[in-house]
Amino acid sequence: MLWLIIIIAAYFLFSLASLGDRYLLVGPPNPKVYAFYVGILSILVLIFIPFINFYLPSASVIGFSFLYGLIFILSLLAIYEGLKRFEVSRIIPALGAFLPIFTFLLAFFILGQEGFFTYQKIFSFCFLILGSIFISLEESFKVSFKSLLFAGMAAFFLSLCFVLSKIVYSDLGFWNGFVWMRLGTFFFALFLFLFKDVRTEIFRKNKSFTKKTGLVFLFVQATGAIAVVLQNWSIALADTVYISFISALQAVQYLFLFVFSLLFYKVLKERISKKIIFQKIFAIILMTLGLVFLALE
């Protein structure tokens, strides 16, 4: 299960990038501006073209690649609009619960999930979902219909991205599929430039961007980019039946963040209590059981 090792490494790097985001961002960014920058940076994928057997695929595959780009931009808008309107403690636990469930349902109806319904896979999937919820749950957790709506929309869009990427990779292989989907993301990110608040933010002179924060920003972008490549590589490698597990394993990212918060709680200004530690340990036990059942397959 090479894909399992790769996705765990990807979520480790995602957790490092999240730490950098916490350092750089005082509050949630403008959702459209954030999605614009992420999408525009996707054009950097062109540097891979001279090193791969790049070719023009069928119109249907190009359509799926660009549909992925549109859905990915929508997922970013949903996530950060939710974080802008509600506390992180309302969005992240719900997102962690919805994401693997939606991924399973979409993969079941679109890709087929033959071979999923074994005791090992079902137990593993359930333990990973429960672990994801408990590891991301905060003491101040409160739920509302609107916060669930934004978390649900974000999870649905992200789940659809998982499924669409598997369709593209099954046809084009990893590198060609990765390049075409990033081009689709770049294309739809350009439309965000039509919004006035996006143009205003982009052209605004920000003198607070010091050399120190600049280095952190570069670290976050580089780490996040490698994590995205690894995550997509695991999707390309894994059998269709394991796509749901790749999304459920995002719980591992929260696990790494918890470990970092224990090690650097003074720097990160995290609130640590015995109750939180016991809750996270319980979540770790659940995730460990999930990984054990998955490894037994």
Side-chain angles (χ1 to χ4, degrees), residues 104-174:
F104 167 75
L105 291 174
L106 289 171
F108 181 82
F109 288 108
I110 298 175
L111 302 175
Q113 291 282 269
E114 184 179 352
F116 180 89
F117 296 102
T118 65
Y119 288 116
Q120 290 95 333
K121 287 190 180 72
I122 293 173
F123 281 132
S124 173
F125 191 63
C126 292
F127 280 131
L128 288 172
I129 291 176
L130 291 173
S132 177
I133 295 172
F134 279 102
I135 198 74
S136 59
L137 204 61
E138 302 290 341
E139 285 185 319
S140 58
F141 175 71
K142 295 179 181 179
V143 68
S144 67
F145 175 77
K146 288 186 177 180
S147 64
L148 284 178
L149 181 62
F150 275 97
M153 284 193 300
F156 176 80
F157 290 139
L158 284 173
S159 300
L160 190 53
C161 283
F162 277 103
V163 174
L164 288 171
S165 61
K166 187 58 181 177
I167 293 173
V168 174
Y169 288 136
S170 297
D171 195 288
L172 297 182
F174 175 62

Side-chain angles (χ1 to χ4, degrees), residues 68-216:
Y68 169 92
L70 172 62
I71 299 301
F72 182 70
I73 293 296
L74 291 176
S75 71
L76 293 178
L77 292 173
I79 291 171
Y80 280 88
E81 187 64 35
L83 291 175
K84 183 179 180 181
R85 293 175 179 235
F86 309 99
E87 298 91 341
V88 174
S89 60
R90 292 192 181 197
I91 297 296
I92 298 303
L95 179 63
F98 284 139
L99 182 59
I101 295 173
F102 282 149
T103 303
F104 167 75
L105 291 174
L106 289 171
F108 181 82
F109 288 108
I110 298 175
L111 302 175
Q113 291 282 269
E114 184 179 352
F116 180 89
F117 296 102
T118 65
Y119 288 116
Q120 290 95 333
K121 287 190 180 72
I122 293 173
F123 281 132
S124 173
F125 191 63
C126 292
F127 280 131
L128 288 172
I129 291 176
L130 291 173
S132 177
I133 295 172
F134 279 102
I135 198 74
S136 59
L137 204 61
E138 302 290 341
E139 285 185 319
S140 58
F141 175 71
K142 295 179 181 179
V143 68
S144 67
F145 175 77
K146 288 186 177 180
S147 64
L148 284 178
L149 181 62
F150 275 97
M153 284 193 300
F156 176 80
F157 290 139
L158 284 173
S159 300
L160 190 53
C161 283
F162 277 103
V163 174
L164 288 171
S165 61
K166 187 58 181 177
I167 293 173
V168 174
Y169 288 136
S170 297
D171 195 288
L172 297 182
F174 175 62
W175 282 113
N176 272 290
F178 186 75
V179 169
W180 277 106
M181 286 189 290
R182 296 303 127 185
L183 290 177
T185 303
F186 171 79
F187 176 79
F188 284 104
L190 291 175
F191 285 94
L192 296 174
F193 194 72
L194 298 175
F195 291 92
K196 183 179 179 181
D197 57 335
V198 174
R199 296 195 302 273
T200 301
E201 181 70 22
I202 292 171
F203 294 117
R204 186 182 67 182
K205 292 183 178 179
N206 188 356
K207 296 181 180 179
S208 63
F209 199 71
T210 63
K211 182 179 179 180
K212 184 178 180 180
T213 56
L215 291 174
V216 174

